[in-house]
């Protein structure tokens, strides 16, 4: 009976098999490349917000590179500022949660002990 229930690897349905290692590597590589592609597209879209870069007002390559560098620094500063603000907000949320936990614990202690004014 047990022999009839066990199926060989070739008789199992395809969806139950584990994918081969090469397919997993390809999927991981494609995800990595898609992530890098997404980040580079976002970077270029941010740089295109600067009119001088989009219209290429600068005729000399050195001047254009200088404007591109300046725009990149400004964009990086904006992104870092946003990241620092988000980190500070997260720290504040954590501090508020710990303070409310402490406050609730003190309320429970004060309820359990009967303080009498004397």
């Amino acid at each position: 009976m047990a022999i009839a229930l066990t199926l060989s690897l070739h008789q199992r349905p395809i969806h139950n098999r584990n994918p081969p290692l090469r397919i997993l590597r390809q999927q991981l590589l494609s995800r990595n490349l898609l992530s890098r592609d997404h980040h580079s597209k976002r970077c270029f879209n941010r740089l295109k917000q600067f009119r001088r870069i989009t219209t290429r007002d600068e005729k000399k390559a050195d001047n254009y590179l200088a404007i591109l560098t300046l725009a990149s620094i400004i964009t990086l500063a904006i992104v870092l500022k946003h990241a620092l603000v988000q980190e500070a907000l997260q720290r504040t949320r954590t501090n508020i949660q710990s303070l409310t936990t402490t406050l609730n614990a003190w309320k429970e202690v004060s309820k359990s002990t009967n303080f009498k004014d004397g």
Side-chain angles (χ1 to χ4, degrees), residues 65-80:
L65 183 60
I67 294 296
L68 189 63
T69 304
L70 185 62
S72 300
I73 291 170
I74 291 171
T75 304
L76 181 65
I78 291 169
V79 169
L80 288 177

Side-chain angles (χ1 to χ4, degrees), residues 23-37:
I23 292 177
L24 290 175
R25 284 185 188 141
Q26 289 173 353
Q27 290 174 349
L28 183 62
L29 180 64
S30 66
R31 284 187 199 146
N32 224 354
L33 290 176
L34 286 175
S35 175
R36 288 181 186 173
D37 183 49

Side-chain angles (χ1 to χ4, degrees), residues 3 20 30 44 48 50 67 69 79 85 89 96 106 115:
I3 296 173
S30 66
F44 280 112
K48 285 181 186 178
F50 292 89
I67 294 296
T69 304
V79 169
V85 167
L89 284 174
I96 289 173
W106 277 105
F115 290 111

Side-chain angles (χ1 to χ4, degrees), residues 8-64:
S8 68
L9 181 64
H10 298 291
Q11 294 173 340
R12 290 183 189 167
I14 292 176
H15 58 83
N16 285 343
R17 291 184 196 164
N18 291 330
L21 190 58
R22 66 178 171 80
I23 292 177
L24 290 175
R25 284 185 188 141
Q26 289 173 353
Q27 290 174 349
L28 183 62
L29 180 64
S30 66
R31 284 187 199 146
N32 224 354
L33 290 176
L34 286 175
S35 175
R36 288 181 186 173
D37 183 49
H38 175 70
H39 287 296
S40 64
K41 284 182 180 179
R42 286 180 58 197
C43 177
F44 280 112
N45 284 333
R46 283 190 182 125
L47 290 175
K48 285 181 186 178
Q49 293 175 1
F50 292 89
R51 187 182 61 82
R52 283 181 96 168
I53 293 175
T54 305
T55 58
R56 182 91 192 238
D57 287 342
E58 306 297 329
K59 299 303 177 201
K60 292 186 178 179
D62 291 338
N63 293 345
Y64 185 71

